[in-house]
């Protein structure tokens, strides 16, 4: 049995005061949740959120990590620095990093390796654009996965997020069938690259326009083990309803 993992991606939202309010409101609302809960906050908010969630069932995450231990890399943050703040998860290869900042799969793979090396679980994002959707979505996802995972030996130390680019920040999520089909395919690719046991344990999330009305439907699918949530995680009540999806 794979334990569900629900991750909020705050992107570039919230200042310190708003962060404090959101987390303080969220803590009591999700205290009985049975899933792993992660908030991936902007770097300057790590020190705000870390003490607030200490001793709760919420875990801290970041939104990127450098591929190097240290160095003259202006604007980058190392895994060692993240570890200082008790960061346990880090998103790598989010489609916004690829689209806006030109990150490439090989480099994303190096970021993932650096996270694993430092005991931080990378949440590796893959997804196809609308243009690819009706063309070669599966082979495209497979290429992305194999490039990013090239140097990952132990896949159980990684979480994969399937986020179709056309569903992120949009009005329409993928259907549960579309999401399941691709998550099951990702599991197949993992089985081919690693082994059946590895494919059974790796957790695969769906992300893209998830909200409290549709999340339970995604979670009812066999291959979907959680969600990577953008907009809907910025409101404590809405995010808590997603986290408590089994109460629906
Ligand atoms: P969304 O974002 O939930 O706002 O669509 C998801 C994401 O970008 O991870």
């Amino acid at each position: 049995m794979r334990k569900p993992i629900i991750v909020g991606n705050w992107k570039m939202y919230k200042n310190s005061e708003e962060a404090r309010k959101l987390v303080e409101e969220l803590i009591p609302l999700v205290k009985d949740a049975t899933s792993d809960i992660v908030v991936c906050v902007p770097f300057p908010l790590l020190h705000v959120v870390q003490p607030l969630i200490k001793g709760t069932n919420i875990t801290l995450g970041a939104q990127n990590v450098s591929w190097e231990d240290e160095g003259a890399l202006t604007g980058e943050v190392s895994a060692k620095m993240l570890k200082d703040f008790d960061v346990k998860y880090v998103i790598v290869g989010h489609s916004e990093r690829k689209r806006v900042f030109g990150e490439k799969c090989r480099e994303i793979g190096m970021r993932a390796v650096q996270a694993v090396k430092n005991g931080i679980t990378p949440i590796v994002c893959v997804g196809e654009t609308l243009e690819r959707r009706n063309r070669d979505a599966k082979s495209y996802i497979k290429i992305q996965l194999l490039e990013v995972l090239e140097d990952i030996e132990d896949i159980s130390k990684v979480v994969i997020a399937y986020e179709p680019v056309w569903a992120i920040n949009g009005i329409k999520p993928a259907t549960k069938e579309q999401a399941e089909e691709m998550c099951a395919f990702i599991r197949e690719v993992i089985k081919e690259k690693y082994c059946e046991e590895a494919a059974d344990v790796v957790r695969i999330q769906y992300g893209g326009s998830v909200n409290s009305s549709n999340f339970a439907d995604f979670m009812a699918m066999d291959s979907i083990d959680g969600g990577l949530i953008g907009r809907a995680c910025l409101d404590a009540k809405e995010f808590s309803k997603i986290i408590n999806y089994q109460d629906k």
Side-chain angles (χ1 to χ4, degrees):
M1 270 305 277
R2 298 180 294 264
K3 188 174 184 194
I5 173 163
I6 301 171
V7 179
N9 173 9
W10 287 19
K11 305 194 179 183
M12 200 176 73
Y13 292 103
K14 306 287 175 193
N15 61 25
S16 306
E17 188 49 25
E18 292 162 342
R20 191 184 56 73
K21 276 204 191 120
L22 170 55
V23 170
E24 281 177 353
E25 195 184 342
L26 185 64
I27 292 170
L29 295 174
V30 300
K31 66 177 185 351
D32 300 321
T34 49
S35 307
D36 285 336
I37 309 167
V38 184
V39 287
C40 291
V41 310
F43 296 131
L45 297 179
L46 291 172
H47 81 105
V48 177
V49 175
Q50 181 205 15
L52 294 172
I53 61 176
K54 207 171 174 176
T56 73
N57 57 341
I58 302 174
T59 307
L60 195 55
Q63 298 174 17
N64 210 350
V65 63
S66 175
W67 59 88
E68 291 286 358
D69 280 332
E70 60 179 12
L73 289 162
T74 304
E76 288 289 305
V77 169
S78 74
K80 223 165 37 179
M81 292 167 184
L82 296 181
K83 246 174 36 178
D84 272 354
F85 292 97
D86 255 350
V87 166
K88 299 282 191 266
Y89 292 87
V90 64
I91 299 170
V92 293
H94 190 277
S95 68
E96 286 151 16
R97 297 299 316 172
K98 293 186 191 117
R99 182 171 50 82
V100 187
F101 302 94
E103 288 190 13
K104 299 277 179 284
C105 287
R106 281 303 295 132
E107 163 197 335
I108 293 161
M110 287 159 68
R111 293 180 189 271
V113 166
Q114 190 64 218
V116 171
K117 222 171 84 181
N118 285 279
I120 298 173
T121 302
I123 300 167
V124 170
C125 302
V126 292
E128 80 286 0
T129 56
L130 191 54
E131 192 231 328
R132 293 247 181 210
R133 176 77 202 157
N134 301 316
R135 204 153 41 103
D136 54 355
K138 280 191 179 160
S139 53
Y140 181 65
I141 293 287
K142 184 170 179 176
I143 291 168
Q144 281 186 26
L145 269 174
L146 294 179
E147 275 189 40
V148 174
L149 299 177
E150 189 169 325
D151 295 318
I152 298 284
E153 280 163 27
D154 185 353
I155 191 70
S156 72
K157 301 215 161 106
V158 171
V159 170
I160 295 170
Y162 168 58
E163 294 208 306
V165 180
W166 45 273
I168 296 176
N169 217 1
I171 350 160
K172 243 175 105 182
T175 64
K176 58 182 195 295
E177 292 80 12
Q178 286 172 321
E180 168 64 16
E181 187 185 359
M182 202 56 97
C183 291
F185 174 72
I186 290 171
R187 214 173 282 290
E188 274 304 306
V189 175
I190 299 297
K191 186 172 145 188
E192 266 173 46
K193 176 173 163 62
Y194 297 91
C195 63
E196 184 151 7
E197 204 197 337
D200 279 347
V201 297
V202 68
R203 294 190 289 181
I204 305 175
Q205 303 176 303
Y206 167 74
S209 300
V210 167
N211 58 44
S212 62
S213 317
N214 61 31
F215 189 58
D217 294 337
F218 287 114
M219 290 306 285
M221 307 308 277
D222 283 350
S223 291
I224 302 178
D225 308 314
L228 180 52
I229 291 112
R231 281 157 298 167
C233 81
L234 298 173
D235 177 83
K237 282 201 184 65
E238 174 68 359
F239 193 38
S240 73
K241 281 192 212 156
I242 293 174
I243 291 167
N244 298 320
Y245 67 98
Q246 279 148 321
D247 300 346
K248 247 184 110 182

